[in-house]
Amino acid sequence: MDTIYFDNNATTNIAPEVLNEMLPYLREFYGNPSSMHTFGGQLHRKIEEARQKVAKLIGAEPEEIIFTSCGTESDNAAIMSAAESFPNKRHIVTSRVEHPAVLNFCKHLARKGYRVTYIPVTKHGQINMDELLKALDEDTLIVSLMYANNETGVIFPIAEIVDFLKEKGILLHTDAVQAVGKVPIDISKMPVDMLSLSGHKLHAPKGVGALYVRKGTRFHPYIIGGHQEHGRRAGTENVASIAALGKACELAGENLYKEMQYLKGLRDKIENALLKLCPNTIINGDTNNRLPNTTNISFEYVEGEAILLRLNEFGICASSGSACTSGSLEPSHVLRAMGVPATAIHGSIRFSLSRYNTEAEVDKVIEVMPAIIKELRQFSPFGRDKQKTDSLSKN
Ligand code: PLP
């Protein structure tokens, strides 16, 4: 059975061009870029070439890019750098729907005495701007807000937010791990101070990421040791993966607008068909400001995990909003923050697409899903009753 992979916000396959780019640095060119000899030292050129490509994708200068090991490290490093750079300020602002890479780091800093404000979101998953404005004070050192949400795809208006933070002299970090390579990002038009990205979300391998730091922004390294990355991130460079990230960014930039159209077409086809074919189905998130590859759909009166298991039998990979932690089904913190009703929160499924998905794969989901939902609702007391009343009201 072929795998149908609709879980690209979790991770992506390595693009063939990207794999080709990295292989020589795993096979023959294994030197250390810090070495004096040519065999190692020549690798510097490759790292700088990759830095240029990453910078180009987001409209930055190459010197503003620091290679890291992942999106999580970039997020932690950005917030920690702000804290170390402005030790007299003790207030951090973020949102309730951030990825754990930001949320749990903020909780960690709260245990160390920082004050953290978690801004609520609207029922469509949009940042509550009034609450954001109210939260800022003299003590605020950084605002960290995601560019696009990993569960719903909702895009925050970072460009608008940056303007009023600049006036107040507050740093803005954006976790753009889900956005880079999926939607256009131009740092020159959106002057955030720091921005995180991650290789494995855009067809580069796992274990490589980058942090953009605007020229002139105070920066304290998070990982301390050697002089690599101009003293901003120690550790022998992961040359193969850095080369891969550069290539992945180049590919994403070349095909961005075409891919956005393609993905939106496939995503909308799934969404429209499932809304029509499966009653009591809700799209979660602001449908006017969303990543083109993501849909988060709640099938009321069913468990997301049960849907995933049934999809898995057809080789279809998706993901649910719930996390099965310590034996209890915790609904997603994102959907909870949006106030998704109890009947829908447990039955949410995220389909996240990539350039490698095909229309035939979309058709397969559309073919199998209605029967799965109908069958699972038979097992749920609420679902069964609901299906009965729905069919009675039709008659
Ligand atoms: N931020 C967001 C929005 C994410 O979706 C993820 C990963 O899912 C991360 C950060 C963490 O990235 P990484 O897996 O590279 O550490």
Side-chain angles (χ1 to χ4, degrees):
M1 185 169 52
D2 288 340
T3 296
I4 298 181
Y5 190 75
F6 283 132
D7 202 10
N8 288 280
N9 287 8
T11 197
T12 58
N13 63 314
I14 301 179
E17 301 91 327
V18 169
L19 185 62
N20 282 341
E21 183 81 8
M22 70 189 293
L23 283 178
Y25 304 94
L26 294 171
R27 287 191 180 124
E28 0 8 337
F29 302 114
Y30 53 83
N32 186 328
S34 300
S35 297
M36 286 299 287
H37 46 73
T38 313
F39 181 67
Q42 66 183 345
L43 299 177
H44 253 303
R45 234 178 301 131
K46 195 70 205 171
I47 294 175
E48 294 318 309
E49 186 190 309
R51 203 185 304 283
Q52 278 178 14
K53 290 176 180 173
V54 175
K56 187 169 176 214
L57 181 62
I58 60 169
E61 298 293 327
E63 327 65 274
E64 295 175 313
I65 302 296
I66 303 172
F67 288 114
T68 64
S69 67
C70 60
T72 302
E73 184 193 322
S74 301
D75 287 342
N76 285 204
I79 299 169
M80 199 62 213
S81 166
E84 298 241 36
S85 300
F86 298 94
N88 296 331
K89 292 188 169 190
R90 308 285 291 175
H91 180 221
I92 298 168
V93 175
T94 186
S95 85
R96 291 193 188 162
V97 297
E98 298 298 310
H99 188 271
V102 167
L103 274 185
N104 287 341
F105 195 68
C106 288
K107 283 186 196 157
H108 166 75
L109 290 179
R111 285 191 292 271
K112 296 199 172 297
Y114 283 85
R115 187 161 54 92
V116 182
T117 305
Y118 300 92
I119 306 296
V121 293
T122 66
K123 66 177 180 180
H124 299 301
Q126 263 308 345
I127 192 78
N128 186 321
M129 291 290 257
D130 293 339
E131 293 290 330
L132 175 60
L133 281 176
K134 263 197 269 165
L136 307 174
D137 59 34
E138 304 276 279
D139 201 31
T140 309
L141 74 103
I142 188 167
V143 172
S144 178
L145 291 175
M146 64 203 325
Y147 195 95
N149 188 274
N150 43 305
E151 293 190 27
T152 58
V154 169
I155 295 175
F156 281 169
I158 297 295
E160 280 172 40
I161 294 167
V162 78
D163 285 343
F164 62 75
L165 291 184
K166 283 265 151 248
E167 283 166 22
K168 293 183 188 304
I170 299 169
L171 290 175
L172 177 60
H173 162 248
T174 187
D175 172 351
V177 163
Q178 289 294 345
V180 171
K182 292 181 189 155
V183 286
I185 290 187
D186 188 351
I187 285 294
S188 64
K189 299 206 180 93
M190 181 191 67
V192 297
D193 300 290
M194 290 181 275
L195 175 148
S196 305
L197 62 100
S198 174
H200 73 107
K201 308 291 183 181
L202 73 154
H203 304 289
K206 294 156 192 66
V208 65
L211 177 66
Y212 158 86
V213 181
R214 176 170 294 280
K215 233 184 264 169
T217 305
R218 279 197 224 169
F219 187 76
H220 272 252
Y222 184 59
I223 296 193
I224 296 169
H227 59 275
Q228 293 90 352
E229 296 294 282
H230 301 286
R232 295 183 298 177
R233 199 278 187 183
T236 303
E237 299 89 337
N238 181 353
V239 182
S241 294
I242 288 173
L245 179 58
K247 186 69 186 174
C249 286
E250 182 179 62
L251 287 177
E254 278 166 7
N255 302 310
L256 191 58
Y257 290 93
K258 216 170 73 198
E259 267 176 25
M260 283 170 65
Q261 279 305 105
Y262 178 67
L263 293 173
K264 184 177 180 308
L266 292 185
R267 190 271 313 272
D268 290 353
K269 186 172 181 187
I270 297 188
E271 227 172 57
N272 293 335
L274 296 185
L275 282 178
K276 199 163 128 215
L277 298 170
C278 307
N280 302 100
T281 301
I282 301 162
I283 305 297
N284 296 311
D286 178 355
T287 50
N288 295 320
N289 294 294
R290 250 190 326 169
L291 295 174
N293 79 319
T294 307
T295 179
N296 187 307
I297 312 180
S298 276
F299 299 90
E300 287 188 285
Y301 317 106
V302 240
E303 291 292 340
E305 276 64 29
I307 303 174
L308 288 186
L309 291 174
R310 292 290 283 112
L311 285 174
N312 194 45
E313 289 167 19
F314 294 97
I316 299 169
C317 309
S319 92
S320 84
S322 311
C324 191
T325 44
S326 52
S328 70
L329 284 177
E330 270 279 298
S332 131
H333 70 285
V334 175
L335 300 187
R336 255 187 299 155
M338 290 162 61
V340 172
T343 49
I345 199 161
H346 289 283
S348 86
I349 296 290
R350 177 187 71 188
F351 294 101
S352 48
L353 284 61
S354 85
R355 69 176 83 119
Y356 297 100
N357 288 123
T358 63
E359 185 141 15
E361 291 176 331
V362 163
D363 290 341
K364 184 72 189 172
V365 171
I366 296 170
E367 180 195 321
V368 302
M369 200 68 170
I372 292 177
I373 300 301
K374 195 164 176 208
E375 177 201 315
L376 291 175
R377 281 187 181 148
Q378 298 287 333
F379 296 118
S380 124
F382 287 120
R384 210 170 35 233
D385 292 349
K386 187 80 183 117
Q387 287 193 145
K388 249 190 244 155
T389 43
D390 284 352
S391 72
L392 282 177
S393 63
K394 255 191 232 147
N395 295 337

